[in-house]
Amino acid sequence: MVEIKSAREIELMREACRITKITHEELAKALKPGITTYELDKIAEEVIRSNGGIPAQKNYPSGVRRSTKFPCNNLCFYK
């Protein structure tokens, strides 16, 4: 089923895409041999939050039965 978006919903989607673009650009600048995914995660979170967003991937359900949520919230145990 096709759902028609309101002008407000479209504007919110546009803003989310803007923040995603900025995040990708910052991550591309940070990529170098030896950088960890933990460091990239922290950069992404900082950029998203500093632009008024909420990182949706944090503790997002994995979709796998009896599996934990995706890790790396504020209490990451691996680096």
PDB file of all heavy atoms in Angstrom, residues 3-13:
ATOM      1  N   GLU A   3       1.531   5.008   0.948  1.00  0.00           N
ATOM      2  CA  GLU A   3       1.056   5.969   1.942  1.00  0.00           C
ATOM      3  C   GLU A   3       1.531   7.363   1.538  1.00  0.00           C
ATOM      4  O   GLU A   3       2.722   7.586   1.328  1.00  0.00           O
ATOM      5  CB  GLU A   3       1.617   5.600   3.311  1.00  0.00           C
ATOM      6  CG  GLU A   3       1.043   6.421   4.432  1.00  0.00           C
ATOM      7  CD  GLU A   3       1.542   5.958   5.778  1.00  0.00           C
ATOM      8  OE1 GLU A   3       1.657   4.737   5.991  1.00  0.00           O
ATOM      9  OE2 GLU A   3       1.822   6.837   6.614  1.00  0.00           O
ATOM     10  N   ILE A   4       0.601   8.280   1.412  1.00  0.00           N
ATOM     11  CA  ILE A   4       0.931   9.657   1.048  1.00  0.00           C
ATOM     12  C   ILE A   4       1.423  10.385   2.295  1.00  0.00           C
ATOM     13  O   ILE A   4       0.779  10.371   3.335  1.00  0.00           O
ATOM     14  CB  ILE A   4      -0.307  10.392   0.462  1.00  0.00           C
ATOM     15  CG1 ILE A   4      -0.903   9.610  -0.718  1.00  0.00           C
ATOM     16  CG2 ILE A   4       0.051  11.813   0.061  1.00  0.00           C
ATOM     17  CD1 ILE A   4       0.019   9.422  -1.891  1.00  0.00           C
ATOM     18  N   LYS A   5       2.570  11.014   2.173  1.00  0.00           N
ATOM     19  CA  LYS A   5       3.152  11.737   3.302  1.00  0.00           C
ATOM     20  C   LYS A   5       2.637  13.177   3.320  1.00  0.00           C
ATOM     21  O   LYS A   5       2.435  13.797   2.273  1.00  0.00           O
ATOM     22  CB  LYS A   5       4.680  11.777   3.195  1.00  0.00           C
ATOM     23  CG  LYS A   5       5.324  10.420   3.123  1.00  0.00           C
ATOM     24  CD  LYS A   5       5.192   9.696   4.433  1.00  0.00           C
ATOM     25  CE  LYS A   5       5.952   8.385   4.381  1.00  0.00           C
ATOM     26  NZ  LYS A   5       5.608   7.497   5.452  1.00  0.00           N
ATOM     27  N   SER A   6       2.491  13.694   4.525  1.00  0.00           N
ATOM     28  CA  SER A   6       2.093  15.093   4.683  1.00  0.00           C
ATOM     29  C   SER A   6       3.311  15.983   4.443  1.00  0.00           C
ATOM     30  O   SER A   6       4.458  15.512   4.435  1.00  0.00           O
ATOM     31  CB  SER A   6       1.549  15.338   6.095  1.00  0.00           C
ATOM     32  OG  SER A   6       2.617  15.250   7.043  1.00  0.00           O
ATOM     33  N   ALA A   7       3.080  17.258   4.278  1.00  0.00           N
ATOM     34  CA  ALA A   7       4.184  18.201   4.094  1.00  0.00           C
ATOM     35  C   ALA A   7       5.125  18.155   5.298  1.00  0.00           C
ATOM     36  O   ALA A   7       6.349  18.212   5.148  1.00  0.00           O
ATOM     37  CB  ALA A   7       3.641  19.610   3.879  1.00  0.00           C
ATOM     38  N   ARG A   8       4.581  18.026   6.488  1.00  0.00           N
ATOM     39  CA  ARG A   8       5.397  17.956   7.703  1.00  0.00           C
ATOM     40  C   ARG A   8       6.252  16.693   7.714  1.00  0.00           C
ATOM     41  O   ARG A   8       7.435  16.731   8.058  1.00  0.00           O
ATOM     42  CB  ARG A   8       4.492  18.008   8.948  1.00  0.00           C
ATOM     43  CG  ARG A   8       5.222  17.851  10.251  1.00  0.00           C
ATOM     44  CD  ARG A   8       6.077  19.062  10.571  1.00  0.00           C
ATOM     45  NE  ARG A   8       6.728  18.857  11.862  1.00  0.00           N
ATOM     46  CZ  ARG A   8       7.972  19.214  12.119  1.00  0.00           C
ATOM     47  NH1 ARG A   8       8.680  19.828  11.217  1.00  0.00           N
ATOM     48  NH2 ARG A   8       8.497  19.001  13.294  1.00  0.00           N
ATOM     49  N   GLU A   9       5.669  15.558   7.343  1.00  0.00           N
ATOM     50  CA  GLU A   9       6.430  14.308   7.294  1.00  0.00           C
ATOM     51  C   GLU A   9       7.564  14.386   6.272  1.00  0.00           C
ATOM     52  O   GLU A   9       8.675  13.917   6.526  1.00  0.00           O
ATOM     53  CB  GLU A   9       5.501  13.136   6.970  1.00  0.00           C
ATOM     54  CG  GLU A   9       4.549  12.777   8.095  1.00  0.00           C
ATOM     55  CD  GLU A   9       3.498  11.783   7.672  1.00  0.00           C
ATOM     56  OE1 GLU A   9       2.928  11.907   6.573  1.00  0.00           O
ATOM     57  OE2 GLU A   9       3.240  10.846   8.462  1.00  0.00           O
ATOM     58  N   ILE A  10       7.295  14.994   5.147  1.00  0.00           N
ATOM     59  CA  ILE A  10       8.320  15.150   4.113  1.00  0.00           C
ATOM     60  C   ILE A  10       9.448  16.044   4.620  1.00  0.00           C
ATOM     61  O   ILE A  10      10.627  15.755   4.412  1.00  0.00           O
ATOM     62  CB  ILE A  10       7.706  15.691   2.808  1.00  0.00           C
ATOM     63  CG1 ILE A  10       6.792  14.616   2.203  1.00  0.00           C
ATOM     64  CG2 ILE A  10       8.790  16.128   1.824  1.00  0.00           C
ATOM     65  CD1 ILE A  10       5.949  15.085   1.050  1.00  0.00           C
ATOM     66  N   GLU A  11       9.101  17.113   5.319  1.00  0.00           N
ATOM     67  CA  GLU A  11      10.122  17.998   5.879  1.00  0.00           C
ATOM     68  C   GLU A  11      10.979  17.261   6.909  1.00  0.00           C
ATOM     69  O   GLU A  11      12.203  17.427   6.943  1.00  0.00           O
ATOM     70  CB  GLU A  11       9.483  19.236   6.504  1.00  0.00           C
ATOM     71  CG  GLU A  11      10.487  20.238   7.030  1.00  0.00           C
ATOM     72  CD  GLU A  11      11.526  20.679   6.005  1.00  0.00           C
ATOM     73  OE1 GLU A  11      11.184  20.855   4.824  1.00  0.00           O
ATOM     74  OE2 GLU A  11      12.699  20.850   6.399  1.00  0.00           O
ATOM     75  N   LEU A  12      10.362  16.441   7.756  1.00  0.00           N
ATOM     76  CA  LEU A  12      11.113  15.661   8.735  1.00  0.00           C
ATOM     77  C   LEU A  12      12.049  14.662   8.043  1.00  0.00           C
ATOM     78  O   LEU A  12      13.193  14.474   8.465  1.00  0.00           O
ATOM     79  CB  LEU A  12      10.163  14.925   9.687  1.00  0.00           C
ATOM     80  CG  LEU A  12       9.397  15.814  10.663  1.00  0.00           C
ATOM     81  CD1 LEU A  12       8.319  15.011  11.383  1.00  0.00           C
ATOM     82  CD2 LEU A  12      10.344  16.468  11.653  1.00  0.00           C
ATOM     83  N   MET A  13      11.577  14.051   6.975  1.00  0.00           N
ATOM     84  CA  MET A  13      12.414  13.124   6.206  1.00  0.00           C
ATOM     85  C   MET A  13      13.585  13.865   5.572  1.00  0.00           C
ATOM     86  O   MET A  13      14.718  13.370   5.567  1.00  0.00           O
ATOM     87  CB  MET A  13      11.570  12.424   5.134  1.00  0.00           C
ATOM     88  CG  MET A  13      10.553  11.448   5.714  1.00  0.00           C
ATOM     89  SD  MET A  13       9.348  10.873   4.509  1.00  0.00           S
ATOM     90  CE  MET A  13      10.366   9.991   3.368  1.00  0.00           C
TER      91      MET A  13
END
